[in-house]
Amino acid sequence: MNDGKADRLDEIIASHSRREGPLLPILHDIQAEFGHVSEEAKRRIAGALNLSRAEVHGVVSFYHDFRSEPAGKPVLKLCRAEACKSRGVEALVGAAEAVAGDRVAVETVYCLGLCTVGPNAMVGKTVHARLDSAKLTALIGEMA
């Protein structure tokens, strides 16, 4: 690992060293900083927290928000939980995937916390609410 990434990983890990239960906050910060949690990051976290690499890997692989590899293309997270389903998200999925093609990854998530204004999607840290086919298609088009 080079380009200062190792130093940045160590900084992130150290910034949570006094927390109780630091693993998830560390993983979130690393995911936000690098776009994924690499094998090197898992080893460094494991060493710093006195965990096995398998324990860290187990947490990374359990939660869908964490990636072991970079996404490679922009990601739109489309909420397909019950509230968004009742507000019509399933009717939007086919068109969204067609517009996204190979340029944007459309991933399913279950609840973005804005159930009363669904269907919802998240791009980066921004949640987009009250989506219809036109708004969702335009959103994906902006990402491609």
Side-chain angles (χ1 to χ4, degrees), residues 17-101:
S17 66
R18 296 181 189 257
R19 284 183 97 139
E20 189 169 329
L23 180 55
L24 284 175
I26 289 170
L27 291 174
H28 281 289
D29 284 357
I30 290 172
Q31 176 78 34
E33 179 87 16
F34 300 107
H36 70 289
V37 182
S38 67
E39 288 301 316
E40 177 63 22
K42 291 174 194 174
R43 279 192 286 278
R44 285 181 179 272
I45 294 166
L49 300 182
N50 197 26
L51 299 171
S52 70
R53 194 210 58 81
E55 289 172 305
V56 176
H57 175 77
V59 173
V60 171
S61 62
F62 179 79
Y63 292 102
H64 296 272
D65 280 343
F66 298 129
R67 298 178 180 282
S68 291
E69 301 292 329
K73 55 187 171 185
V75 176
L76 178 132
K77 295 180 179 184
L78 185 62
C79 181
R80 296 175 74 178
E82 299 308 319
C84 284
K85 278 187 177 183
S86 71
R87 301 181 69 82
V89 72
E90 293 303 320
L92 306 177
V93 172
E97 290 176 342
V99 170

